Amino acid sequence: MTEKTDNIIIPGPGNSEFEFVRPDEAEDLEKVEYLSSTGVPRFDFQRGACRNSDGIILNVGCNEDPAMLKALFGGRCFNCDLQAYDETMGRNNLVDHVFDMTDTWPFADESAELVVFGDCLEHLPPHEIEAALKEAARVARRVCITVPEDHRIEG
């Protein structure tokens, strides 16, 4: 059973009617609706941070925007990544702005309300993480950071 209130769909137990699609492959982006649960807790956390923000959102390290922040939050969400094309995956990233997150960002001081680092900081060495966080603090009032859970045993 699915409960629908305004433009929010809340999947009930056993609901399988939602299918994930890349935002650039959706036929009508205006029909993409927020689901209370993506099944991926870190994506839900990113969406929650965006819902609690009224201003500009910078989705830094967005890759293909798997949490669909651009589709859900429209013109106030800007996808940012180091490259427009992901050579490793052999596909385009869904980016509005291309820049190195460890260098000076092309945005004015306090020009955004929220920076989302979704599953990207874990790929950087500590000094580059520090540089990216300093730029985020310069540009935005708030920062949301998620990293994937790693079940590997290192020893």
Side-chain angles (χ1 to χ4, degrees):
M1 175 176 201
T2 299
E3 177 184 339
K4 184 169 181 175
T5 308
D6 297 326
N7 287 325
I8 301 172
I9 297 175
I10 303 168
N15 180 11
S16 61
E17 68 184 74
F18 179 72
E19 178 181 335
F20 287 96
V21 295
R22 284 176 44 111
D24 64 335
E25 294 172 351
E27 291 180 18
D28 185 355
L29 287 183
E30 292 185 11
K31 291 184 179 179
V32 175
E33 296 178 306
Y34 169 75
L35 292 178
S36 64
S37 175
T38 63
V40 182
R42 64 188 190 275
F43 295 165
D44 295 340
F45 187 81
Q46 293 170 26
R47 290 176 173 193
C50 293
R51 271 196 323 278
N52 291 321
S53 299
D54 294 325
I56 298 297
I57 301 163
L58 300 177
N59 186 15
V60 177
C62 68
N63 200 282
E64 64 175 344
D65 190 15
M68 298 179 69
L69 302 182
K70 179 76 171 182
L72 296 168
F73 301 100
R76 64 187 189 96
C77 181
F78 296 92
N79 284 344
C80 310
D81 207 304
L82 177 62
Q83 51 198 5
Y85 183 80
D86 186 329
E87 292 183 21
T88 303
M89 299 301 290
R91 61 167 164 65
N92 291 324
N93 286 329
L94 301 176
V95 296
D96 300 304
H97 298 281
V98 176
F99 63 90
D100 184 343
M101 75 171 81
T102 66
D103 202 353
T104 303
W105 294 6
F107 304 105
D109 293 358
E110 300 177 5
S111 58
E113 181 174 341
L114 176 67
V115 167
V116 176
F117 287 113
D119 301 4
C120 59
L121 292 179
E122 71 274 10
H123 299 286
L124 304 176
H127 70 280
E128 290 183 353
I129 293 171
E130 182 179 357
L133 291 174
K134 283 182 180 178
E135 276 301 286
R138 178 185 68 79
V139 170
R141 292 190 0 239
R142 299 182 318 124
V143 175
C144 169
I145 300 170
T146 62
V147 294
E149 186 174 1
D150 188 349
H151 295 282
R152 293 176 296 182
I153 297 174
E154 296 185 21

